[in-house]
Amino acid sequence: MRSTKCQLLVTSLCVMLLGLSIATLSTVTHYGLHFTLISNVSLDSNAYRVIHHTAFYFGICLSMTLILAALLSSAATVRESQCLTAMGFFCFALAFCGLIPAACWRYTHSTEVEDSMMDVYDFVYEEVRRNTSSFRRHELTAIHEAFLCCGKHSPFGDTAIVENKTCPPGQVHDGQDCLQEIQDFLKKHMDFVFSLLGIAIGFTVYGMILTSFLWFSIHFSSNLYRKGKYILR
């Protein structure tokens, strides 16, 4: 039982760090320059804004659940409380039920976020190319500066005028294609998110196993402690 308690304490510490990491990543994703630029520019018909806000709130709720599971498991280990152990197991199970759909969504919708971001850039770029809005020109310039890219390969004609007006001076001729830069940036970010989700799934499963084992250990040791005691009347 002592070995189980030590393992559960170490697991709880790792889960707490994972919860803090997920909260930090969710905050960076929601308030980061690259993501807020695209979110502010996107139209209501584009799916990116919904994904952007949903990912933030889901990440915060998931991180709070993991931190709560870690705190309850630590308290249950120290106090050897069956009630706290059961509550810790429930929080681990709740986090697991949230992590699995998130990982499955990332796997089955691997290109949806990338496509929605590139659709936003296409829309802004074409608006500037048609010279219908000076406000869009400022938005496109901000995107170019954030992603360190310049324009895109367009089949609708020469784009040098757009690039000269909206690209940073050093990126006009040597800048990378923005659609490719956006895709590469988001792919790296999503790969990191997927790796973090995988690690969190492993620790939540291990946490459920340890908390259930600790619950049974406390239960049976409590029964053995009472066994053989009699009340004299």
Side-chain angles (χ1 to χ4, degrees):
M1 183 175 177
R2 183 177 297 177
S3 175
T4 303
K5 291 170 67 175
C6 293
Q7 293 179 43
L8 187 55
L9 285 174
V10 173
T11 303
S12 299
L13 178 61
C14 294
V15 170
M16 184 173 292
L17 293 176
L18 278 171
L20 293 174
S21 300
I22 292 175
T24 303
L25 181 63
S26 301
T27 304
V28 170
T29 301
H30 190 262
Y31 295 103
L33 176 62
H34 298 81
F35 299 100
T36 53
L37 276 174
I38 300 297
S39 179
N40 293 334
V41 173
S42 62
L43 300 176
D44 294 335
S45 58
N46 190 283
Y48 177 76
R49 186 173 295 179
V50 176
I51 297 173
H52 183 75
H53 292 292
T54 303
F56 172 71
Y57 293 118
F58 176 81
I60 294 299
C61 292
L62 180 60
S63 65
M64 292 175 62
T65 305
L66 289 172
I67 293 173
L68 181 60
L71 292 175
L72 289 173
S73 300
S74 301
T77 304
V78 174
R79 300 183 61 180
E80 295 187 2
S81 170
Q82 285 183 273
C83 180
L84 291 175
T85 306
M87 292 173 65
F89 176 86
F90 175 76
C91 288
F92 276 121
L94 188 64
F96 178 79
C97 292
L99 286 166
I100 291 299
C104 292
W105 187 90
R106 169 67 183 93
Y107 181 77
T108 56
H109 299 76
S110 58
T111 61
E112 184 171 339
V113 182
E114 298 174 5
D115 292 341
S116 62
M117 287 187 74
M118 290 189 289
D119 287 343
V120 172
Y121 179 80
D122 276 331
F123 167 75
V124 177
Y125 188 91
E126 293 304 320
E127 286 287 305
V128 174
R129 191 181 65 83
R130 290 194 293 266
N131 199 26
T132 58
S133 173
S134 60
F135 181 71
R136 294 297 183 188
R137 190 178 303 114
H138 294 295
E139 293 177 341
L140 186 62
T141 302
I143 294 175
H144 287 163
E145 292 176 351
F147 286 93
L148 298 178
C149 58
C150 182
K152 66 171 186 174
H153 300 294
S154 176
F156 299 105
D158 187 19
T159 59
I161 298 177
V162 176
E163 295 174 0
N164 289 331
K165 290 182 178 180
T166 60
C167 292
Q171 299 287 335
V172 175
H173 300 291
D174 301 327
Q176 300 294 324
D177 182 88
C178 278
L179 295 179
Q180 187 64 45
E181 286 295 315
I182 292 173
Q183 188 177 21
D184 293 342
F185 169 81
L186 195 59
K187 185 178 184 302
K188 293 177 182 177
H189 184 81
M190 296 300 289
D191 287 344
F192 181 75
V193 171
F194 189 71
S195 300
L196 193 60
L197 289 177
I199 296 172
I201 289 173
F203 273 101
T204 51
V205 172
Y206 193 52
M208 285 191 291
I209 294 173
L210 290 177
T211 49
S212 60
F213 187 80
L214 181 62
W215 188 92
F216 283 109
S217 299
I218 296 172
H219 177 74
F220 288 120
S221 64
S222 179
N223 288 343
L224 289 174
Y225 179 74
R226 293 191 183 95
K227 189 175 182 180
K229 290 192 173 183
Y230 303 94
I231 299 175
L232 297 177
R233 296 183 178 178

